[in-house]
Amino acid sequence: MDVDGRGLLAAAGVLFPDEQGRILLVRVSYRAKHPIEIPGGGWEPPDGSPRRTAIREIEEELGITPRLGPLACLDWSLDRLRPPIAAFLYWAEPLTGDQLAALRLEEEELGAYAFLTPDQVSSALPPRLSRRVTACLSAPRAAGPLELENGRPVGHSARHLPADPPPPPYTGAAGLPWPGDRDRPALPPPPMDRATYIASRPRILAKARTLFTDPDGRVLLVRLMPWERDPAPHWTLPGGSIESDRELPRAAAARELGEELGWDRTPGRLLGLDWTAITDDQGRDSAVLTYVFDGGTADPAELAAIRLPEDELVEWGLFDPDEAREVLAEPSWRRLLACLAARDGEGGPVELVAGRPAGP
């Protein structure tokens, strides 16, 4: 799915720590330039959620079922040579002795695995992935999930991490121990070249919305212009689609507030990440990833200054949570409640699937 440049790739990886604080990395057999990776891979529509993608990929790659912990980070990564990627990283519980004994690498893709120290990890991984993983290893666990853009901390994550630390020297696989390495020649290149492979990957859409309340705690909602196929009234938090190939989520949230409300506001803390399965206009299974940012309190003067775009929005209103339930779709109402509750915390966003909390 790629609508007006909004198509987005999604992937999920897993961080397996051991008792010494080392992290499990794998070596990709057919990749010479950047052979070292975190185990994981791309989202597929049957997965239902990125968390399920992470589990499936580990089962396929390592032959074991991981015990996933919390979401470590979501990194929105832009690159002029490929579509943007929403990259989820999950913590896992340390592998048991039985799991280590049962570990079997996927024959067609992986040649070796090893547990490496954080310093080794930061140098072995490609620079962009190294920034992402190093952020997760450096920040306090209580700060997670981290909000990253191109591997760099933004929002609440910037309070816990340096903005742009100098990159470590990139060594790849050179000089690293690889217990379990296979004594066999490298496999031939994968059957598809990079461009063909990327074109074959499924896409999702993403939205950026902002949660405002008035001094009485009522939530600001806007009603969308009805369209011919669905004339029913649709209320939602202010915001809209992220133009994913050209902007990052925070920039999209700020742009949407200017277009929809006429406000020049900087989004606050990221409160929620909600993954919702959908079926697109062509009948394909896909998903929408919704970022919900905290807008804080809107005072009466700001509310009076709202100017809605006539071609998009019909009206705005203030609703307490019970009233909001009467006008919102059930998943959107659940998402709203979760994000209101997250306002009282200090950590990262709550991970949701169709408005319901995900994870352990």
Side-chain angles (χ1 to χ4, degrees):
M1 178 190 297
D2 193 355
V3 182
D4 297 330
R6 289 176 285 165
L8 176 68
L9 300 174
V14 180
L15 298 171
F16 287 99
D18 69 3
E19 293 180 354
Q20 287 76 48
R22 299 175 301 175
I23 299 296
L24 176 68
L25 299 188
V26 294
R27 192 179 72 187
V28 181
S29 301
Y30 54 78
R31 194 177 298 159
K33 185 177 182 181
H34 300 304
I36 310 304
E37 287 281 357
I38 289 290
W43 166 80
E44 298 287 352
D47 292 339
S49 72
R51 184 170 286 269
R52 179 57 206 164
T53 295
I55 293 172
R56 175 184 55 77
E57 284 286 337
I58 298 305
E59 290 174 340
E60 293 175 357
E61 291 187 349
L62 304 182
I64 58 174
T65 299
R67 296 172 297 173
L68 290 190
L71 178 65
C73 77
L74 174 55
D75 186 9
W76 185 291
S77 177
L78 288 176
D79 190 314
R80 64 183 179 82
L81 299 178
R82 56 145 174 79
I85 296 177
F88 293 74
L89 266 185
Y90 291 93
W91 288 107
E93 294 184 23
L95 297 176
T96 66
D98 288 343
Q99 286 178 311
L100 284 171
L103 195 150
R104 298 292 183 271
L105 298 181
E106 187 173 20
E107 289 286 343
E108 295 182 354
E109 293 192 17
L110 302 182
Y113 71 91
F115 285 93
L116 304 180
T117 68
D119 287 343
Q120 290 173 322
V121 167
S122 64
S123 292
L125 294 174
R128 191 190 306 269
L129 180 56
S130 175
R131 285 199 302 268
R132 180 184 309 152
V133 173
T134 300
C136 296
L137 299 182
S138 302
R141 286 284 189 100
L146 300 178
E147 179 191 356
L148 305 177
E149 292 181 347
N150 291 319
R152 297 179 173 88
V154 293
H156 82 284
S157 305
R159 300 200 304 267
H160 303 280
L161 295 164
D164 196 8
Y170 178 51
T171 60
L176 295 177
W178 289 106
D181 202 355
R182 297 197 185 101
D183 185 17
R184 61 176 173 78
L187 294 175
M192 288 187 286
D193 60 42
R194 175 181 169 86
T196 303
Y197 172 76
I198 289 175
S200 72
R201 300 303 302 152
R203 304 292 201 270
I204 67 168
L205 298 179
K207 296 182 181 293
R209 301 201 178 277
T210 307
L211 171 58
F212 292 97
T213 50
D214 74 352
D216 295 323
R218 295 175 298 176
V219 177
L220 173 63
L221 301 177
V222 294
R223 183 161 72 89
L224 304 179
M225 177 74 68
W227 57 94
E228 184 176 347
R229 289 177 299 161
D230 188 1
H234 286 275
W235 289 86
T236 185
L237 293 173
S241 295
I242 301 173
E243 297 176 358
S244 59
D245 64 342
R246 61 183 68 95
E247 65 182 350
L248 295 165
R250 285 185 166 270
R255 173 183 56 77
E256 287 286 342
L257 291 176
E259 294 175 358
E260 292 194 348
L261 305 180
W263 289 356
D264 182 9
R265 295 283 291 264
T266 299
R269 187 162 62 95
L270 180 60
L271 299 175
L273 295 163
D274 194 8
W275 182 278
T276 304
I278 63 169
T279 301
D280 68 17
D281 293 340
Q282 284 73 48
R284 297 171 296 190
D285 291 331
S286 185
V288 175
L289 171 62
T290 301
Y291 281 67
V292 180
F293 295 97
D294 190 2
T297 301
D299 62 39
E302 288 178 306
L303 294 170
I306 290 176
R307 297 293 180 267
L308 301 178
E310 295 182 356
D311 59 341
E312 292 186 33
L313 301 178
V314 175
E315 60 179 316
W316 63 272
L318 297 167
F319 301 80
D320 67 31
D322 288 338
E323 293 170 334
R325 186 173 192 176
E326 299 299 318
V327 299
L328 292 174
E330 188 70 16
S332 297
W333 181 72
R334 293 194 297 262
R335 177 196 304 157
L336 172 62
L337 290 188
C339 291
L340 285 170
R343 270 182 155 183
D344 297 330
E346 294 293 331
V350 60
E351 182 192 5
L352 304 170
V353 175
R356 292 188 172 92

